[in-house]
Amino acid sequence: MHVQELKLADLIQAFDRLITFWHSDPADYKSEPGELNPIALELGWRNYSLWHEEDKARRTDVDDSMIAQVKRNIDGFNQQRNDLIEKLDEAILAWLTPKVAFNKDLPINSETPGSIVDRIFIMSLKVYHMHEDTLRDDIDDAHRSRSQQKLATLREQRADLEQALHRLLDDYLAGNRKMKLYRQFKMYNDPTLNPELYRQTGA
């Protein structure tokens, strides 16, 4: 029930649907129907955008100036992605707070729920593109077989992650673990913390 309340139920199906929808180049990335936590949707979109910028960064047929812009785009999407992971964790903790009192001596999990949701989406992108690879008509049977095996492994690992998220939320509600917010404090985008930036501006 908790995943339904948080709108994090059936994440694998929801993310697969989103990724297919976004590859159709819709005018509005939010117009895809479905019941999904809005923060998780935004997190997925930033990951989707980041993935395709990373692909562009590997091109060798364009000017270095374009690659420099792509790198800046990657930094921006990655910062937004990390901010949304924290925002999702904040929302989950706010949902948990009236339901359970965390004992300060309870163990914590090494990964937050928001981070697990993030990983599930990244795994979903890998599943989508690995499946695409199995459908290519310019590969031999050995290549196709390797990609099919990788696809099966990716799907299994993704299912494991979704189960891990459910178990973690169950543990929180049962009072077996406590949830803490962990801040990323990314420094490279902050002109007051990145020495290559503040030395230029004298900040």
Side-chain angles (χ1 to χ4, degrees):
M1 178 59 71
H2 48 269
V3 287
Q4 280 83 10
E5 289 184 29
L6 289 167
K7 295 187 177 180
L8 294 174
D10 302 318
L11 274 184
I12 289 174
Q13 292 88 340
F15 286 162
D16 281 348
R17 188 172 61 250
L18 278 172
I19 291 168
T20 299
F21 173 70
W22 289 337
H23 275 95
S24 70
D25 294 322
D28 180 5
Y29 73 93
K30 294 182 181 179
S31 64
E32 193 273 347
E35 188 75 9
L36 179 64
N37 185 295
I39 305 172
L41 185 147
E42 292 290 340
L43 177 58
W45 175 247
R46 296 318 187 281
N47 267 308
Y48 177 89
S49 302
L50 179 60
W51 176 284
H52 291 90
E53 286 298 298
E54 292 277 10
D55 281 349
K56 293 177 187 176
R58 273 67 181 180
R59 291 181 62 178
T60 58
D61 62 332
V62 296
D63 292 338
D64 288 348
S65 59
M66 176 182 170
I67 300 302
Q69 183 57 54
V70 167
K71 172 59 178 169
R72 291 187 178 93
N73 293 343
I74 288 170
D75 284 350
F77 287 135
N78 202 38
Q79 183 67 61
Q80 293 166 12
R81 169 181 160 251
N82 281 283
D83 291 345
L84 285 162
I85 291 172
E86 291 184 14
K87 187 175 179 181
L88 183 56
D89 282 331
E90 288 172 352
I92 292 171
L93 183 57
W95 174 81
L96 283 168
T97 298
K99 299 178 184 297
V100 60
F102 292 123
N103 185 305
K104 66 181 180 63
D105 297 322
L106 286 173
I108 59 169
N109 200 57
S110 61
E111 189 171 34
T112 66
S115 295
I116 299 175
V117 172
D118 179 67
R119 288 181 62 198
I120 292 171
F121 191 88
I122 293 170
M123 195 71 73
S124 295
L125 281 167
K126 292 180 180 181
V127 165
Y128 180 93
H129 289 284
M130 191 63 71
H131 179 252
E132 269 195 332
D133 194 74
T134 68
L135 303 178
R136 288 168 53 189
D137 57 12
D138 62 337
I139 58 176
D140 58 26
D141 289 343
H143 181 126
R144 195 180 317 279
S145 178
R146 287 193 299 271
S147 292
Q148 288 170 339
Q149 291 171 16
K150 291 175 182 177
L151 178 59
T153 299
L154 288 168
R155 284 174 169 158
E156 179 182 352
Q157 291 175 169
R158 182 175 60 163
D160 290 344
L161 280 174
E162 189 173 46
Q163 290 176 15
L165 175 64
H166 293 181
R167 285 194 299 269
L168 180 58
L169 293 172
D170 285 341
D171 279 348
Y172 288 151
L173 287 169
N176 296 326
R177 289 181 185 273
K178 65 181 177 183
M179 183 177 175
K180 288 180 65 176
L181 293 178
Y182 281 88
R183 304 299 183 183
Q184 297 290 330
F185 296 129
K186 294 290 184 181
M187 300 174 69
Y188 57 83
N189 282 329
D190 189 332
T192 68
L193 295 176
N194 181 335
E196 294 295 331
L197 298 178
Y198 66 66
R199 285 173 185 160
Q200 293 177 22
T201 62

